[in-house]
Amino acid sequence: MNLGRKSVCAGALAVLVGASTFAFAGDRMSPEQFANLRMRVETGTALAAIAEHEKDGEMMLVAAKLLSTVGPVELRGKKKADGKPEHYDIKKMVEAAKSMGAKPDEKAAKLEMSPKAGMVASYCALGAWIQTCDYQGYCRWEYQC
């Protein structure tokens, strides 16, 4: 191969590698975006627990709206029959809010959880938010693939 062809091939390879790197880097989530998702999980799960305890339908709707934007969130301590963890079900949360007296608008009535909502596929295609606690009782939400 002569020098001209080598430089053209090297240039094309550089463009392809650079383009794929830029596409992948553009799909990545910034630390601020990830922190925003974690805050939505923390707030949404806390509001859901309070709403359930106080039978507050409006608060349950707010929790459902927050959790519908972050992807699957594990219900701590709940397992399905097959042993897999159970996740918050947004449709059930909206139904619970209705049973508590809330009157969701049309948009809230159609809320549902998208498996990738809030998560970028290049970070982790399939995963869920789980709560982990250390031996001192400090707990935090983490997204695990």
Side-chain angles (χ1 to χ4, degrees):
M1 196 188 287
N2 66 20
L3 185 58
R5 279 189 167 168
K6 284 183 184 179
S7 62
V8 168
C9 289
L13 181 61
V15 167
L16 288 174
V17 170
S20 66
T21 302
F22 288 132
F24 185 72
D27 289 342
R28 288 195 179 164
M29 192 175 300
S30 72
E32 293 81 14
Q33 290 170 316
F34 196 79
N36 181 309
L37 290 176
R38 178 176 282 128
M39 188 178 308
R40 286 172 174 266
V41 171
E42 291 170 354
T43 306
T45 55
L47 286 175
I50 295 168
E52 189 174 319
H53 177 70
E54 295 184 4
K55 306 296 183 223
D56 186 332
E58 294 299 323
M59 192 179 297
M60 185 64 80
L61 281 178
V62 172
K65 286 178 185 179
L66 285 170
L67 294 178
S68 71
T69 64
V70 296
V73 179
E74 182 181 277
L75 268 167
R76 191 152 170 80
K78 303 271 184 167
K79 299 279 183 192
K80 292 181 182 177
D82 60 3
K84 292 183 180 177
E86 194 172 324
H87 297 97
Y88 281 91
D89 185 329
I90 302 303
K91 290 205 180 287
K92 285 183 182 176
M93 291 175 75
V94 172
E95 290 304 315
K98 285 180 188 176
S99 72
M100 294 176 200
K103 294 179 178 30
D105 61 5
E106 199 174 303
K107 185 177 177 183
K110 294 180 181 179
L111 282 176
E112 62 182 55
M113 179 76 71
S114 167
K116 293 182 187 176
M119 283 286 131
V120 177
S122 66
Y123 176 74
C124 179
L126 294 172
W129 288 95
I130 65 164
Q131 191 176 41
T132 59
C133 301
D134 66 14
Y135 69 95
Q136 295 177 328
Y138 173 75
C139 300
R140 67 179 272 161
W141 287 95
E142 295 178 356
Y143 193 81
Q144 290 195 350
C145 300

